[in-house]
Amino acid sequence: MADARWQLQRDLASPRLVIDALVVEETQRRSGVGTALMEAVEEAGRSQGAVVATLNTNLRSLLSVPFYEDRMSYQRRSVIFRKDLRQAANES
């Protein structure tokens, strides 16, 4: 298939840092706290041998998307789909 090269994860066997959540109290946002936390987490990952970092965030977030893309230089690499199966079961 023409787009098969985009489906491969070339760094699949490489150690990775998975960032599950980053939360900064509202009163502390835009003060450098998030950047400092991310830089510390990334350095901790590097020290443990990670060569890539991954995270998920809501595409509709007016705070987190620019923070990760513009401030922290992360790149969008995939789309994650979600469906609440509890709701679908109740509609039947």
Side-chain angles (χ1 to χ4, degrees):
M1 295 176 60
D3 67 346
R5 70 176 189 256
W6 302 110
Q7 301 299 317
L8 297 174
Q9 292 189 20
R10 289 177 176 81
D11 55 12
L12 187 61
S14 301
R16 68 185 56 224
L17 167 66
V18 178
I19 301 165
D20 188 45
L22 174 73
V23 179
V24 175
E25 186 175 330
E26 190 172 350
T27 60
Q28 298 300 311
R29 292 181 188 155
R30 301 188 189 278
S31 68
V33 172
T35 300
L37 287 170
M38 285 297 293
E39 288 173 348
V41 168
E42 290 172 357
E43 185 54 39
R46 271 188 219 94
S47 72
Q48 296 292 316
V51 298
V52 65
T54 63
L55 59 86
N56 295 322
T57 194
N58 190 315
L59 283 175
R60 296 179 183 141
S61 174
L62 299 177
L63 292 173
S64 64
V65 171
F67 172 73
Y68 291 123
E69 287 184 333
D70 302 336
R71 182 79 174 152
M72 300 308 301
S73 302
Y74 280 72
Q75 300 171 345
R76 296 181 199 199
R77 297 295 299 259
S78 65
V79 175
I80 297 173
F81 293 95
R82 182 179 185 279
K83 179 179 181 180
D84 187 340
L85 296 178
R86 296 168 298 175
Q87 192 173 53
N90 294 334
E91 293 174 2
S92 301

